Amino acid sequence: MGKRKSSKKPQGPKRREALDTAFKCLFCHHERAITCKMDKKEGLGHLSCKVCGQSFQSEIHHLSEPIDVYSEWIDAAEAAEADKRRAALSDLED
């Protein structure tokens, strides 16, 4: 005769891991120097660096997370750098 199979206990809901709200600064390169504050009533996300004072604001919606604001900041910084390079190249050509 074999053993009875024990039934598995029901598991609770899986826990979501909390997303970061502190990030690495693009300008001074300090880890966890960027803090993100979300004001969902006004629809604004605000990033600021504790070390160099760099800041950024963007519009958010009810599904936005701090990582979304940080990603928009990275995209905006890359776009500004690309515009700066294009302007420098056009000045050299003239």
Side-chain angles (χ1 to χ4, degrees):
M1 291 180 62
K3 289 185 179 180
R4 282 190 181 188
K5 291 186 177 181
S6 62
S7 63
K8 291 185 179 181
K9 293 181 182 178
Q11 293 182 349
K14 289 186 179 180
R15 255 185 140 183
R16 278 192 196 170
E17 291 186 29
L19 297 174
D20 286 339
T21 58
F23 307 99
K24 181 178 180 178
C25 183
L26 297 176
F27 297 97
C28 67
H29 304 290
H30 281 86
E31 289 291 330
R32 303 186 60 79
I34 297 289
T35 56
C36 182
K37 295 180 183 169
M38 310 283 282
D39 187 1
K40 293 193 179 190
K41 282 186 178 180
E42 292 188 23
L44 286 176
H46 182 77
L47 294 174
S48 61
C49 180
K50 298 176 193 175
V51 179
C52 67
Q54 196 64 245
S55 64
F56 176 76
Q57 267 187 335
S58 71
E59 292 183 7
I60 60 170
H61 50 80
H62 66 285
L63 296 176
S64 295
E65 294 290 333
I67 190 71
D68 299 324
V69 179
Y70 183 69
S71 298
E72 286 181 30
W73 181 45
I74 291 172
D75 294 341
E78 288 175 352
E81 184 66 28
D83 289 344
K84 188 176 174 183
R85 285 183 184 161
R86 268 191 240 118
L89 285 175
S90 65
D91 288 344
L92 290 175
E93 290 175 359
D94 291 337

